[in-house]
Amino acid sequence: PRTIVVTEDLNLIAEFAINQYEVSVTWDENGTVTGSGTYDYGTEVTIEALANEGYHFVKWSDGDTENPRTIVVTEDLNLIAEFAINQYEVNVKADENGYVTGSGTYDYGTEVTIEAIANEGYHFVQWSDGNTENPRTIVVTKDVELKAEFALNQYEVNVTADENGMVTG
C-alpha cells in the first residue's frame, strides 16, 4: 500500500509484473535432465530425464514417473531425476551331454564367466554363437542366451601283430 496526501487531482496507474519462479531439475551421475530455468507464472515447461547408457529413468523425486513431463509453473520447484541400472538375463544352456554355469540376472556392464562342462566321454565344441572359448567371460549389455555344444569323444585304436600272427579291428 501507499499513502498519499491529496492536494490536487491525481491520476495514478498501477503497474504489475508477472511473478517468475525458478524450476530446478537435477540428476545423479547416471543421466542428465533438461528444463531448468526461470519461468513466468503459468508457463508450461517440459522437463525430461535422459538416462546414460546402461541405465533407465525411474521417477522424479516427487514420485511422478512421467518422462518427458509437462509442468505448469506456479511456484519455485526443485525436482531430482532418479535413475537405476539396467539388468539383463544371461541364460546358458546345455544338452544332455554336459552342463553349464553362469546363468543369472546381472547389472549392465558386469563381467560374467560362463563355463561348459562335458559329461564323461564328451567334450565341449563351441557355444551357439560360434565362440570356442571355455570358460568364457562376457560383458553384460543385453539379454544373452547361449547353448553349449558337445560332441562324443572319438579315439583311434591301432593294433599291430608281430611276425607270428595277425590282428583285425
Side-chain angles (χ1 to χ4, degrees), residues 4-157:
I4 60 171
V5 177
V6 179
T7 59
E8 61 183 34
D9 289 340
L10 191 60
N11 187 16
L12 298 173
I13 299 173
E15 295 182 14
F16 298 92
I18 195 162
N19 292 339
Q20 291 190 320
Y21 297 99
E22 186 70 27
V23 173
S24 174
V25 285
T26 57
W27 63 96
D28 61 24
E29 69 276 0
N30 300 318
T32 60
V33 294
T34 62
S36 287
T38 303
Y39 298 97
D40 290 346
Y41 176 88
T43 301
E44 286 189 358
V45 176
T46 299
I47 59 174
E48 185 172 11
L50 307 163
N52 289 344
E53 183 178 351
Y55 291 82
H56 62 279
F57 171 77
V58 177
K59 64 179 179 173
W60 296 102
S61 54
D62 65 356
D64 195 303
T65 59
E66 187 178 354
N67 188 47
R69 173 182 175 187
T70 300
I71 57 173
V72 178
V73 178
T74 59
E75 61 186 349
D76 288 334
L77 186 60
N78 184 21
L79 292 171
I80 301 168
E82 297 177 19
F83 300 95
I85 196 163
N86 294 341
Q87 291 191 320
Y88 297 101
E89 291 293 321
V90 173
N91 187 3
V92 287
K93 300 177 181 182
D95 61 22
E96 67 279 354
N97 300 318
Y99 63 96
V100 291
T101 62
S103 288
T105 302
Y106 299 96
D107 289 347
Y108 174 88
T110 301
E111 288 188 359
V112 176
T113 299
I114 59 175
E115 185 172 10
I117 297 104
N119 291 340
E120 186 173 347
Y122 291 84
H123 64 277
F124 171 77
V125 177
Q126 67 181 9
W127 296 100
S128 53
D129 65 356
N131 188 300
T132 58
E133 288 180 59
N134 189 43
R136 173 182 177 187
T137 300
I138 59 173
V139 177
V140 179
T141 59
K142 62 182 179 180
D143 289 332
V144 175
E145 186 167 313
L146 293 168
K147 184 174 182 181
E149 298 174 14
F150 300 96
L152 184 63
N153 292 342
Q154 292 185 335
Y155 302 98
E156 187 173 314
V157 176

